[in-house]
Amino acid sequence: MDIPKQYDPKEAEQHHYERWERSGAFAPEINKDPNAPVYSIVIPPPNVTGSLHMGHALQHTLMDVMTRHKRMSGFRTLWLPGVDHAGISTQLMVSRALKKEGKSRHDLGREKFVERVWQWKHESGSQITVQMRREGASVDWSREKFTMDEDLSRAVREVFVRLYEEGWIYRGNRIVNWCPMDQTVLSDLEVEKLPQQGKLYYLRYPIKSNNGSDSANPRYVTVATTRPETMLGDTAVAVNPNDERYRDLKGQTILLPLTDREIPVVFDEYVDPQFGTGAVKITPAHDPNDYELGLRHNLAQVVVIDAHAKMTPEAGANFAGLDRYAAREKVVEEFERLGLLEKVVDYEFSISKCERCKTVIEPLISTQWFMKMDQLRDLALELMSKEQKPRFVPENYERVYTNWLENLRDWTISRQLWWGHQIPAWYTKDGEVIVARSEAEAREKAGTNELTQDPDVLDTWFSSGLWPFSTFGWPNETNDLKTFYPTSVLVTARDIIFLWVSRMVMMGMKFIGKEPFADVFITGTILDPQGQRMSKTKMNGVDPLHVFDKFGVDATRLTLAQVGSTDTRWNEKQVESYRNFANKIWNAARFCLLYSEPRINTDNTDLQLHDRWILSRLTKTAQEVNAALAAYEFHDAVQTLYHFFWDDFCDWYIELTKADVTTEEDTPRRRDARSRLLSVLEQALRLLHPFMPYITEELWLRLPGDKQLHAAYQGAEPTIMLAAYPEGDPQLIDEAAETEMKEIIDLISRVRNIRSEMNIKPADRVKIIVKRGGGKLADFGVLEDQILRLTRASDLSFGEAPKASARSILSGGAELAIPLEGLIDFEQERQRLNREQQKLQAESAKLEAQLGNPNFVERAPAERVNELRARIADIAQRSSQLRQTVENLQ
Ligand SMILES: [Zn+2]
């Protein structure tokens, strides 16, 4: 059999991916079983501007493992790919490109600008779909979607119109988060709240005297604020009705300084008597809480700050046109001049910034489109309380999700951008609003052609919220929708549970009447080696493509798969060790192929002990991996496979069967051994395939003989990805063989330990003597040849050993002894062992002293302290071993 000595991952990666994609193996149609169960996943669509980062690579690996596993298990499997139009990011990216040409989007105008974005998308967008092919993602590219595709846009308009007609979408004046830099409204989720060191200003407002003026002795009420400039827009002072200090303010009027306005005092439970002076200024047009309070008390809304964060004419002639911060200084100066500034104190508070550009957001009253969330929210909460859907893994995210839903407010869905789904609302000359699925429908409804469409677009998350059904062709009742909705699982990061997961659930319940996915798996986060989040600004990210180049995709996938839902520091050593694992697989397979038979033996009669053992181990491995995947325990699945392949298969089975496999003479025993070895390898490759798709395909295709595909894929081009995933035949579990092999492995390992412990030369043969203990002893005789070969022993006998023997107690309780006479120089060995003993004791004493120092124990990280304690325990154990060994030399 011709197989290269070295595995070349790159060649396999490119070659096989192209083959798989071309042959249609990723599409659900490849499955010919009309009764096949269905498994489907929609990908969280990456931004069209995005390129692959570790977060994607992690999610995609987990989705691909599940998809490949289910496909091999005979499911009609669909993993649907696609890309999000990413409204503001994309618009900014294309605007920046224009800027280099000396133009702005306004120079082009809306239509040309949007054309330009499409052109950019066709030429250089969706980089990530090329990178996903490198990952081995078995997505069905024939169903790839883009949120701005015509069919998805149709779904967006349909949802908008229906929700508008039901009164769940409305247009209104509301206070919103406004980014003065990006010139757009932001949802609460696009705003970052950050701690800020600032000042708290105590301003004195004069109270207008009712019964004749007492100007010699004016009364004041003091309010505290972090934003003095907004006082120009105050329309009330509020106090708590239970606050004794302000009882007498009932019915009083305040003369608002720096303006000619008089404002009332209002009483409201919202006011916290503990904050500042217990009296607060109310600026309904520039603070969300004041806005709500203003509505309750019918207060006027005086707008003093505009969309560019500059003061308006309403702020008065002295302030109009000033930037908000300049106005702040001026207001404070004026108060000081008038003797109305009581004090200024340092104060830490939280400030809201635009998540994207970090500009301090300005709460503004603005006309926007909103979605009422109360009834939609109830649909999601009911689904959880009545049906416990969706199921969150790990389950603690369920509470995060429901808590957030319970506190949900109306969603601002309009954005002042050009790139996105333009709101399907038109205005007549008289200002009448017509909401329709198309301009033609709007004209018909309005009875006129003179309509102007609302210039705003919808928040990007509006279309992403429809993703699990818009991608299947909704509102049409398509076959895909019937077949693949609800999907099986959503795999995503925890930071978009609110932005995305909850909205998909609400929209799915509203428009399809069923949850969009059965399970939600929340992945862990991959941190940099220091435990920090990877970010573009910190430049501490690790590029998955570089890791692929360095260690191969399979090794990277194995590393990512075992992250699962746990936050994990990136550790290149781990990838390297899985690259070594890939090489181990290659070399083991190479050995099997060098001594292969033209057929694979799956007949399980006439088996030797080690055959029964490996089949039992293989069966349990298959069962454990299937169970781990069903429970989303990716880490366990990886560990189980790794140890089976490396320890059981390579270290023991190949070694134990080697003599039979490599013997010169062509006997039935050799044929059986060879083909059984291949059979175990073949099944192991299938077990590994979802995690390591490339190397397993490369090797599987090289195996001789018939390689069966799963019954659902008969007639398809041969590929391991359509072979059946081993479930494990319970009949092959053989506990007796496992127990016996465990003792034999223990015996061989202990003899090898003694050999290295006592410095016995590799060429020297030892004698193994076993003294039976009380318990039952494995029948070492059945594998005597292998035991002798693997331990370089000349014979194995039972009975008493001479005094000068190295001894060890076997797991079954019997005593193992290796007579040392003639093998080593006793005196020299004794000295060597004593020296080691002394060294260990010195080390132990030093560590004890360190741990005895309270300063060290208090300051050192707990991990370090535990490490030292573990080392001391190790030393103690090793010392006692050495003592035993030295005694044996007496
Ligand atoms: Zn911004």
Side-chain angles (χ1 to χ4, degrees):
M1 180 90 233
D2 186 27
I3 170 165
K5 278 196 169 158
Q6 292 276 321
Y7 173 50
D8 177 3
K10 258 176 231 168
E11 199 191 296
E13 287 162 16
Q14 187 166 6
H15 171 65
H16 293 306
Y17 197 86
E18 281 171 14
R19 257 185 60 240
W20 290 331
E21 190 177 345
R22 205 175 45 238
S23 70
F26 297 156
E29 287 74 18
I30 193 91
N31 190 313
K32 304 294 182 211
D33 173 6
N35 301 315
V38 172
Y39 188 79
S40 62
I41 301 182
V42 290
I43 202 167
N47 287 349
V48 63
T49 51
S51 69
L52 196 74
H53 57 58
M54 274 298 169
H56 298 124
L58 168 60
Q59 289 182 8
H60 297 168
T61 296
L62 299 179
M63 283 184 265
D64 198 45
V65 165
M66 293 189 281
T67 302
R68 285 179 185 270
H69 173 242
K70 291 294 184 188
R71 191 185 287 114
M72 290 175 79
S73 303
F75 284 63
R76 182 179 309 286
T77 305
L78 170 62
W79 179 15
L80 184 141
V83 178
D84 194 278
H85 68 281
I88 198 160
S89 313
T90 310
Q91 177 158 327
L92 285 176
M93 170 166 287
V94 175
S95 300
R96 272 198 293 273
L98 277 176
K99 205 174 169 190
K100 285 191 187 136
E101 301 166 20
K103 287 188 222 154
S104 80
R105 67 187 163 104
H106 299 283
D107 296 331
L108 266 70
R110 182 172 192 142
E111 202 174 316
K112 287 269 182 265
F113 178 80
V114 170
E115 261 173 39
R116 180 74 189 246
V117 180
W118 277 107
Q119 190 194 338
W120 169 86
K121 194 236 169 203
H122 292 310
E123 285 165 8
S124 44
S126 308
Q127 263 301 313
I128 198 159
T129 59
V130 178
Q131 298 165 332
M132 279 180 65
R133 286 174 162 89
R134 182 82 198 279
E135 291 179 304
S138 64
V139 295
D140 179 7
W141 291 109
S142 73
R143 283 177 168 82
E144 185 185 354
K145 297 293 178 194
F146 180 52
T147 46
M148 291 280 284
D149 283 345
E150 183 39 42
D151 46 347
L152 276 72
S153 303
R154 209 181 118 212
V156 165
R157 292 193 297 269
E158 184 68 29
V159 164
F160 189 96
V161 171
R162 287 202 204 170
L163 290 180
Y164 178 80
E165 283 170 355
E166 291 184 48
W168 296 14
I169 281 181
Y170 63 95
R171 187 166 176 257
N173 265 323
R174 287 277 307 270
I175 195 150
V176 294
N177 304 305
W178 181 266
C179 175
M181 176 64 78
D182 294 331
Q183 287 291 303
T184 183
V185 63
L186 303 172
S187 75
D188 288 345
L189 296 166
E190 293 166 300
V191 171
E192 283 179 350
K193 291 213 188 297
L194 300 167
Q196 163 103 354
Q197 276 305 330
K199 308 255 183 245
L200 191 61
Y201 301 86
Y202 286 76
L203 308 179
R204 297 164 87 189
Y205 287 1
I207 297 166
K208 183 181 176 186
S209 167
N210 282 343
N211 41 1
S213 70
D214 186 4
S215 54
N217 199 6
R219 286 185 62 207
Y220 299 99
V221 57
T222 301
V223 295
T225 179
T226 58
R227 303 194 57 195
E229 69 281 11
T230 60
M231 61 77 48
L232 298 165
D234 282 0
T235 55
V237 166
V239 294
N240 192 296
N242 304 318
D243 193 334
E244 297 290 344
R245 292 172 292 178
Y246 297 114
R247 276 273 154 85
D248 61 332
L249 283 184
K250 201 154 211 139
Q252 299 282 14
T253 302
I254 290 184
L255 298 166
L256 188 66
L258 314 187
T259 71
D260 51 12
R261 288 192 288 115
E262 295 185 359
I263 59 175
V265 177
V266 297
F267 293 80
D268 197 291
E269 301 271 356
Y270 151 78
V271 179
D272 175 7
Q274 307 302 323
F275 174 78
T277 59
V280 295
K281 59 190 278 310
I282 300 297
T283 324
H286 297 288
D287 179 281
N289 293 318
D290 293 5
Y291 176 84
E292 298 291 338
L293 187 144
L295 292 181
R296 289 198 289 277
H297 296 273
N298 268 321
L299 299 177
Q301 298 165 348
V302 177
V303 175
V304 291
I305 303 174
D306 71 11
H308 297 277
K310 293 222 164 34
M311 307 309 286
T312 65
E314 290 250 46
N318 284 336
F319 298 96
L322 286 183
D323 176 79
R324 53 187 166 174
Y325 297 116
R328 175 175 304 173
E329 280 177 32
K330 190 154 182 188
V331 164
V332 174
E333 274 168 28
E334 291 286 311
F335 267 76
E336 194 155 26
R337 192 175 59 78
L338 295 170
L340 296 175
L341 185 63
E342 189 170 299
K343 60 179 173 178
V344 182
V345 298
D346 289 336
Y347 184 61
E348 186 181 306
F349 58 103
S350 92
I351 195 159
S352 301
K353 292 189 174 178
C354 169
E355 181 195 52
R356 212 166 282 103
C357 74
K358 312 297 172 197
T359 303
V360 175
I361 67 123
E362 187 59 52
L364 284 187
I365 291 180
S366 140
T367 306
Q368 301 289 343
W369 290 91
F370 298 91
M371 192 187 290
K372 266 195 214 167
M373 301 307 290
D374 42 0
Q375 282 159 290
L376 286 167
R377 179 253 327 271
D378 290 346
L379 291 175
L381 284 174
E382 225 174 78
L383 180 71
M384 184 55 82
S385 64
K386 293 201 174 138
E387 301 180 49
Q388 287 77 51
K389 285 180 186 169
R391 178 169 76 110
F392 278 86
V393 183
E395 64 184 358
N396 54 312
Y397 289 107
E398 178 189 316
R399 224 182 35 240
V400 176
Y401 164 86
T402 45
N403 279 351
W404 182 76
L405 281 174
E406 281 158 5
N407 297 301
L408 195 53
R409 299 202 303 187
D410 287 4
W411 173 18
T412 316
I413 52 176
S414 44
R415 291 292 181 278
Q416 288 65 52
L417 300 173
W418 285 353
W419 174 243
H421 299 104
Q422 194 168 353
I423 288 176
W426 285 261
Y427 304 103
T428 65
K429 274 197 303 195
D430 310 327
E432 193 194 343
V433 184
I434 315 285
V435 167
R437 287 163 184 83
S438 65
E439 179 144 19
E441 191 186 307
R443 284 176 177 173
E444 201 179 315
K445 278 189 182 172
T448 168
N449 286 353
E450 286 179 61
L451 294 175
T452 327
Q453 188 170 0
D454 193 299
D456 289 355
V457 301
L458 288 165
D459 180 3
T460 302
W461 295 102
F462 191 100
S463 52
S464 345
L466 317 180
W467 185 249
F469 51 91
S470 63
T471 48
F472 293 136
W474 185 91
N476 292 347
E477 296 264 330
T478 62
N479 255 334
D480 272 10
L481 188 64
K482 276 183 241 159
T483 311
F484 299 114
Y485 188 101
T487 63
S488 309
V489 61
L490 178 81
V491 176
T492 192
R494 71 179 75 113
D495 51 356
I496 51 176
I497 293 177
F498 310 142
L499 277 171
W500 193 44
V501 178
S502 66
R503 286 171 181 162
M504 287 190 284
V505 175
M506 291 186 270
M507 292 300 188
M509 290 309 291
K510 170 71 183 157
F511 289 98
I512 315 292
K514 272 189 246 167
E515 72 283 0
F517 23 74
D519 296 347
V520 178
F521 181 80
I522 303 292
T523 66
T525 306
I526 298 180
L527 307 167
D528 79 0
Q530 281 72 44
Q532 303 289 311
R533 272 187 92 94
M534 291 185 181
S535 84
K536 266 192 198 156
T537 41
K538 280 194 233 152
M539 307 270 287
N540 62 345
V542 175
D543 183 349
L545 298 166
H546 289 164
V547 186
F548 293 164
D549 286 343
K550 199 163 169 190
F551 298 108
V553 171
D554 288 335
T556 316
R557 285 171 60 116
L558 216 47
T559 309
L560 292 169
Q562 72 166 22
V563 166
S565 61
T566 313
D567 287 357
T568 306
R569 292 178 187 203
W570 183 251
N571 175 5
E572 201 172 273
K573 284 263 174 285
Q574 180 72 77
V575 200
E576 194 181 340
S577 90
Y578 284 137
R579 195 261 326 267
N580 298 343
F581 181 51
N583 290 338
K584 184 87 176 173
I585 295 171
W586 186 262
N587 291 334
R590 200 163 165 272
F591 173 81
C592 301
L593 286 167
L594 285 174
Y595 298 100
S596 66
E597 285 293 313
R599 73 193 170 93
I600 289 177
N601 186 352
T602 48
D603 161 30
N604 293 318
T605 53
D606 199 16
L607 299 172
Q608 299 192 61
L609 171 62
H610 56 284
D611 296 326
R612 287 189 284 124
W613 170 74
I614 196 70
L615 291 174
S616 182
R617 291 297 312 133
L618 179 69
T619 301
K620 284 191 185 167
T621 301
Q623 291 178 340
E624 282 167 31
V625 172
N626 279 293
L629 287 177
Y632 301 103
E633 304 280 3
F634 297 99
H635 181 269
D636 292 357
V638 171
Q639 289 303 311
T640 302
L641 285 168
Y642 180 88
H643 290 297
F644 171 76
F645 200 94
W646 194 301
D647 304 344
D648 296 345
F649 184 64
C650 295
D651 283 356
W652 293 108
Y653 187 66
I654 291 184
E655 292 305 321
L656 290 166
T657 197
K658 208 172 224 169
D660 286 342
V661 166
T662 57
T663 180
E664 289 288 321
E665 203 184 341
D666 183 3
T667 59
R669 188 179 168 120
R670 188 183 84 169
R671 282 199 293 276
D672 270 359
R674 287 184 171 187
S675 56
R676 179 150 302 110
L677 181 62
L678 275 182
S679 160
V680 176
L681 171 71
E682 195 269 343
Q683 294 177 71
L685 292 176
R686 280 190 269 144
L687 284 170
L688 285 164
H689 175 74
F691 299 87
M692 306 180 85
Y694 292 118
I695 192 172
T696 51
E697 175 78 328
E698 185 68 27
L699 290 169
W700 191 82
L701 290 174
R702 288 170 190 268
L703 297 180
D706 302 341
K707 295 179 298 284
Q708 297 262 317
L709 297 185
H710 188 285
Y713 307 113
Q714 290 315 319
E717 206 178 290
T719 163
I720 191 172
M721 63 175 281
L722 301 178
Y725 200 76
E727 287 170 15
D729 173 2
Q731 305 247 19
L732 293 176
I733 291 183
D734 189 333
E735 296 294 355
E738 290 210 33
T739 310
E740 218 161 320
M741 268 305 298
K742 206 171 145 199
E743 288 185 38
I744 290 172
I745 286 173
D746 183 49
L747 174 74
I748 295 172
S749 308
R750 282 171 193 275
V751 174
R752 286 172 168 175
N753 276 347
I754 290 172
R755 292 193 67 115
S756 90
E757 180 89 345
M758 302 308 301
N759 258 346
I760 297 171
K761 291 190 205 74
D764 287 347
R765 299 273 153 181
V766 297
K767 286 182 163 45
I768 301 173
I769 302 173
V770 177
K771 185 176 153 194
R772 294 173 196 280
K776 193 172 164 282
L777 192 60
D779 183 2
F780 296 132
V782 295
L783 285 179
E784 187 171 339
D785 290 351
Q786 282 95 332
I787 294 171
L788 297 181
R789 194 166 44 79
L790 295 177
T791 55
R792 296 175 168 275
S794 56
D795 68 59
L796 167 63
S797 61
F798 296 89
E800 287 292 341
K803 186 160 178 288
S805 294
R807 290 162 208 272
S808 184
I809 301 297
L810 295 173
S811 59
E815 187 191 68
L816 158 73
I818 307 280
L820 296 169
E821 194 67 56
L823 289 173
I824 57 167
D825 178 330
F826 281 29
E827 184 48 38
Q828 208 183 330
E829 266 317 291
R830 250 198 308 272
Q831 283 173 14
R832 185 182 69 83
L833 294 169
N834 281 329
R835 276 197 304 277
E836 191 184 341
Q837 180 78 282
Q838 282 158 10
K839 237 163 95 187
L840 287 172
Q841 245 128 44
E843 186 188 346
S844 182
K846 206 174 120 201
L847 296 176
E848 295 277 12
Q850 215 172 346
L851 286 176
N853 176 355
N855 266 339
F856 170 80
V857 178
E858 264 166 44
R859 284 186 206 155
E863 271 168 59
R864 177 79 191 128
V865 173
N866 289 338
E867 241 171 57
L868 296 189
R869 293 209 167 110
R871 175 67 190 147
I872 292 175
D874 279 352
I875 291 176
Q877 203 194 351
R878 174 81 187 131
S879 283
S880 106
Q881 241 171 24
L882 282 175
R883 254 192 314 278
Q884 184 65 47
T885 313
V886 173
E887 260 167 45
N888 290 335
L889 292 175
Q890 303 305 323

